[in-house]
Amino acid sequence: MTINTNIPDKHGKFGPYGGQFVPETLMPALEELIRVYDEARNDPAFMQEFDHLLKTYVGRPSPLTHAKRLSQKLGGAQIYLKREDLNHSGAHKINNALGQALLAQRMGKSRIIAETGAGQHGVGTATACALLGLECVVYMGEVDIARQQPNVFRMKLLGAEVRPVASGSRTLKDAINEAIRDWVTNVATTHYLLGSVLGPHPYPMMVRDFQNVIGAEAREQVLAMCGRLPDALVACVGGGSNAIGLFHAFCDDENVAMIGVEAGGEGIAGGRHAARFADPNVSRIGVLHGTKSFVMQTPDGQIMETHSISAGLDYPSVGPEHALLRDQERAFYTYATDEEALAAFQELSQTEGIIPALESAHAVAEAIKRAPKMRSDQIILVNLSGRGDKDLDTVIRELMIDD
Ligand SMILES: *Cc1c(COP(=O)(O)O)cnc(C)c1O
């Protein structure tokens, strides 16, 4: 795999977004990370080791699946699924976790800290740390711990310490605050393994590069299977790493539309959502966790509490590169509500035998809306970012399915 990086600029700016808004004590660590990452990505031995792990451990390339029955039922575009749900540990997060864990080793740092919302990044990180023999501490909000029990247990089994976070809304943003606090204290021995295209430079760029494999594979696969590029790419957007991972390889293909799907929660009107772009009442440009982007804020600039049925999309900001792609109208952003995601979750399970993560179900919901308005020779490529096993408790509670 080769990596081509035109943006961000050398200050980590994606146009007006991005940058490095951190306490001075962290600057040396960020500068070291920029330097070591730059060496690593130009070092064929490092990239070969990364590729080798992706192939022999993660199970890449992940397949591209034609969702035939779903497409037929909708009566429009052909839907193809990029199967990140089939990766070892169940989601796209492992790609980035392995890349950064290898970098930590290269920096001589033996302790890894991470934050997690859905638990998938925690599991990805704990998995990579077990594989490479690194100490692992994962910060997780108490609310997320309660709704993602199977992943908490997985992390512990994998040898990680899970530290509950009781501050704020007790979800992902609070877990990130705690992880940053830990990093400031232990920066000499510790690498902060950030889980999405968020945070200060170089994280949004580096995480994108490690996830670029998704789109690079998908582009080749769709060309081989269909003889043409897709008309639209659809991916859910939490921080935005699975979406950027899919989009990046298609950025120069002007006729390929890119659609990011945020969490519409209980609908935009009541403010109970995590749609950072869609709600003009709360979405404002601001700085959160070291980077400038769209941030859901109250009129006096306090960070809003977000809501989504899926823990992995429940975050008040969004990766700076998405804010730029939206300004440039290169990508478009919409949302799916909890209800629409739940319906898509069941629809994909029953028509294709694939139980998606609730996060990914937001992308499926958008494909279900779009496909019927398109021709049957058109193609929608959906990133199925993860599998739904971790969400069964939530879905059972929501649907009250009885046997
Ligand atoms: C974490 C997660 C997401 C959201 O994170 P992004 O950085 O936006 O990709 C989406 N899907 C799954 C399965 C996840 O675990």
Side-chain angles (χ1 to χ4, degrees):
M1 189 169 71
T2 53
I3 283 167
N4 168 20
T5 311
N6 299 319
I7 50 166
D9 68 15
K10 66 177 193 304
H11 306 292
K13 301 285 283 188
F14 297 86
Y17 310 108
Q20 291 177 309
F21 298 85
V22 296
E24 238 170 282
T25 43
L26 287 182
M27 283 309 290
L30 290 178
E31 275 156 17
E32 180 189 21
L33 191 56
I34 291 168
R35 182 176 50 75
V36 174
Y37 174 57
D38 197 52
E39 288 165 10
R41 73 175 163 192
N42 292 305
D43 176 357
F46 179 88
M47 293 312 287
Q48 262 166 29
E49 192 178 2
F50 181 47
D51 278 348
H52 181 73
L53 288 181
L54 290 180
K55 197 168 161 194
T56 63
Y57 188 72
V58 177
R60 304 204 71 93
S62 66
L64 187 69
T65 302
H66 184 195
K68 248 191 220 160
R69 291 213 324 124
L70 179 62
S71 306
Q72 234 161 37
K73 187 169 171 189
L74 295 169
Q78 301 306 308
I79 296 173
Y80 284 78
L81 307 169
K82 179 59 174 163
R83 301 291 307 280
E84 294 298 296
D85 61 313
L86 293 179
N87 291 341
H88 175 52
S89 76
H92 68 292
K93 297 264 171 38
I94 187 76
N95 305 325
N96 167 55
L98 280 173
Q100 285 195 50
L102 287 173
L103 263 190
Q105 274 193 327
R106 196 179 172 105
M107 289 186 288
K109 293 187 173 181
S110 59
R111 180 173 180 267
I112 300 287
I113 55 170
E115 81 298 335
T116 199
Q120 286 302 114
H121 176 55
V123 169
T125 302
T127 302
C129 288
L131 179 70
L132 300 178
L134 301 165
E135 183 189 342
C136 182
V137 174
V138 180
Y139 289 91
M140 189 169 187
E142 283 180 344
V143 169
D144 292 335
I145 287 181
R147 59 182 170 179
Q148 302 288 341
Q149 272 301 319
N151 271 346
V152 174
F153 191 56
R154 263 182 211 114
M155 285 183 266
K156 290 181 178 170
L157 266 178
L158 292 162
E161 181 194 339
V162 179
R163 290 199 187 156
V165 175
S167 55
S169 56
R170 296 178 292 145
T171 58
L172 182 59
K173 109 179 134 52
D174 314 288
I176 297 180
N177 287 339
E178 283 307 316
I180 292 175
R181 221 162 276 157
D182 181 318
W183 202 29
V184 170
T185 315
N186 301 301
V187 65
T189 57
T190 300
H191 174 63
Y192 179 15
L193 206 161
L194 220 155
S196 190
V197 285
L198 295 164
H201 181 60
Y203 284 103
M205 171 183 82
M206 183 174 71
V207 176
R208 173 196 71 196
D209 294 348
F210 287 138
Q211 294 291 4
N212 182 52
V213 65
I214 301 173
E217 284 176 9
R219 196 173 181 285
E220 257 179 48
Q221 289 168 321
V222 74
L223 282 172
M225 283 172 81
C226 307
R228 61 185 291 256
L229 291 172
D231 296 277
L233 306 174
V234 180
C236 65
V237 181
S241 69
N242 86 88
I244 284 284
L246 176 66
F247 294 173
H248 197 60
F250 294 88
C251 266
D252 295 331
D253 301 314
E254 282 168 25
N255 294 325
V256 179
M258 299 174 173
I259 296 110
V261 186
E262 300 185 281
E266 295 171 5
I268 298 305
R272 297 254 307 152
H273 60 76
R276 290 67 44 102
F277 290 134
D279 187 345
N281 291 322
V282 300
S283 72
R284 258 183 286 276
I285 294 169
V287 170
L288 182 64
H289 299 138
T291 191
K292 186 188 271 188
S293 184
F294 279 71
V295 182
M296 287 174 59
Q297 300 170 53
T298 62
D300 52 1
Q302 294 298 310
I303 307 302
M304 296 246 316
E305 293 207 357
T306 52
H307 166 80
S308 170
I309 193 171
S310 65
L313 303 183
D314 207 349
Y315 180 69
S317 186
V318 59
E321 190 163 7
H322 285 289
L324 180 64
L325 288 172
R326 179 173 175 269
D327 279 5
Q328 295 171 334
E329 300 189 357
R330 180 63 192 91
F332 296 90
Y333 296 83
T334 182
Y335 60 89
T337 62
D338 289 352
E339 207 174 314
E340 290 166 335
L342 266 175
F345 182 96
Q346 295 168 86
E347 185 70 358
L348 192 70
S349 300
Q350 289 164 22
T351 54
E352 299 295 338
I354 297 170
I355 300 175
L358 275 172
E359 290 82 7
S360 323
H362 286 70
V364 176
E366 176 62 18
I368 290 174
K369 288 179 205 169
R370 244 165 221 272
K373 299 178 206 149
M374 294 168 68
R375 293 191 319 268
S376 64
D377 63 342
Q378 292 187 296
I379 297 169
I380 301 177
L381 200 162
V382 176
N383 200 9
L384 210 72
S385 53
R387 64 178 184 229
D389 308 38
K390 69 182 175 57
D391 297 313
L392 293 186
D393 282 352
T394 305
V395 174
I396 289 166
R397 230 179 300 122
E398 293 288 331
L399 300 178
M400 299 290 207
I401 292 176
D402 37 32
D403 47 67

